[in-house]
Amino acid sequence: MATLAADPQPGWEAVTRAADLRPGDVVSWDYKTERASGHAVIIAGMPSQAKDGSWVVKIYDATSSPHAEDSRPDDA
């Protein structure tokens, strides 16, 4: 999340700490591979810090490839 702070883009604001995310924020990042150019999600809830120090936040994600603890139904 810190990359934008080093290279600001018009219309975007860097969020360098997960604690600063708010519902409705759009988070995007570059992830260039042969099949992908990046990803974006919409923050759906307030972040909370887990016991291990990591951050957990509910998101809206339209990817076709489930990952992590994806809560979407396993259907077509």
Side-chain angles (χ1 to χ4, degrees):
M1 292 190 278
T3 303
L4 186 59
D7 187 19
Q9 300 296 312
W12 292 91
E13 180 180 339
V15 176
T16 57
R17 297 175 344 124
D20 295 332
L21 294 169
R22 296 294 176 260
D25 286 352
V26 175
V27 177
S28 68
W29 59 93
D30 285 335
Y31 182 74
K32 294 189 173 145
T33 68
E34 289 181 21
R35 297 177 19 178
S37 60
H39 197 68
V41 299
I42 299 171
I43 303 302
M46 293 298 290
S48 61
Q49 194 165 25
K51 290 180 182 178
D52 67 1
S54 64
W55 287 89
V56 177
V57 64
K58 185 175 185 175
I59 62 168
Y60 298 118
D61 185 349
T63 186
S64 60
S65 305
H67 45 274
E69 294 178 28
D70 198 317
S71 63
R72 292 177 290 180
D74 186 19
D75 63 15

